[in-house]
């Protein structure tokens, strides 16, 4: 039920690009360059209680501004898990996809609570958002 509602919301998000764009701009000063990225803003609601997009701010998790192609565990002022530090991951599209699909399967000792975004469309939106928020 919740899943269906979410799916409907995402579809709506993609359709009402102008609306979500305005919302994103208000939220983080982010201008979505396309409708996929705008839909990604909606998916990011599931991350933002722990992750900021403000480069000056780490909250419960490290900030994710410019995380695309960043080396894992590389922010100087965040206390990462030993396992993520040892991982040698660079956050390219494949790793980001695997991470949001099941982060604890990628790095078993991570401090990030398990997330599971398995819908490839939702993954696409989210990755487009992270990629374009530099
Ligand atoms: C309950 C809090 C929480 C939620 C929700 C959460 N994360 Fe995290 N995230 C963390 C923590 C804590 C870490 C640090 C993990 C470690 O050190 O092992 C992290 C690490 C990451 C990293 C690695 C960053 C780096 O600098 O190497 C990425 C990428 C990431 N999260 C993406 C996401 C995305 C995308 C979502 C939403 C789908 C999400 N997270 C949801 C807490 C959270």
């Amino acid at each position: 039920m919740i899943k269906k509602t979410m799916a409907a919301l995402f579809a709506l998000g993609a359709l009402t690009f102008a609306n979500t764009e305005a919302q994103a701009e208000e939220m983080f000063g982010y201008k979505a360059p396309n409708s996929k990225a705008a839909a990604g803003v909606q998916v990011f609601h599931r991350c933002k209680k722990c992750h900021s997009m403000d480069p000056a701010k780490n909250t419960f998790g490290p900030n994710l501004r410019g995380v695309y192609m960043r080396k894992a565990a590389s922010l100087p002022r965040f206390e990462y898990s030993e396992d993520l530090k040892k991982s040698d991951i660079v956050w390219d599209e494949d790793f980001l996809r695997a991470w949001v699909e099941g982060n604890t399967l990628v790095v078993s000792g991570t401090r990030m609570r398990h997330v599971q975004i398995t819908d490839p469309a939702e993954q696409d939106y989210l990755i487009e958002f992270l990629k374009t928020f530099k």
Side-chain angles (χ1 to χ4, degrees):
M1 177 61 199
I2 287 180
K3 247 195 145 158
K4 267 199 180 144
T5 314
M6 292 302 278
L9 279 177
F10 294 134
L12 196 67
L15 286 174
T16 53
F17 176 40
N19 257 342
T20 42
E21 191 186 28
Q23 200 189 356
E25 213 177 323
E26 199 178 299
M27 256 188 341
F28 339 94
Y30 167 73
K31 278 195 203 312
N34 55 52
S35 57
K36 239 169 130 181
V41 173
Q42 303 304 308
V43 186
F44 189 71
H45 283 304
R46 282 141 85 176
C47 321
K48 78 177 173 120
K49 68 167 180 248
C50 300
H51 289 288
S52 166
M53 290 307 269
D54 176 347
K57 226 192 251 167
N58 297 316
T59 46
F60 186 70
N63 87 72
L64 294 182
R65 181 79 164 262
V67 73
Y68 179 67
M69 293 315 276
R70 188 163 89 194
K71 191 179 171 329
S74 61
L75 293 182
R77 285 176 297 111
F78 187 79
E79 194 127 344
Y80 291 98
S81 65
E82 284 308 313
D83 280 19
L84 191 61
K85 283 196 252 180
K86 283 188 305 205
S87 71
D88 259 339
I89 290 171
V90 172
W91 294 116
D92 62 10
E93 214 169 303
D94 288 348
F95 266 117
L96 283 173
R97 193 177 293 280
W99 187 253
V100 299
E101 186 157 321
N103 55 307
T104 50
L105 303 176
V106 180
V107 175
S108 60
T110 180
R111 290 209 297 114
M112 177 167 138
R113 200 189 62 198
H114 182 68
V115 293
Q116 205 170 8
I117 296 180
T118 51
D119 179 347
E122 285 180 21
Q123 294 172 357
D124 282 350
Y125 301 155
L126 184 58
I127 289 168
E128 185 69 13
F129 166 68
L130 292 173
K131 240 183 175 173
T132 55
F133 201 166
K134 298 196 173 128

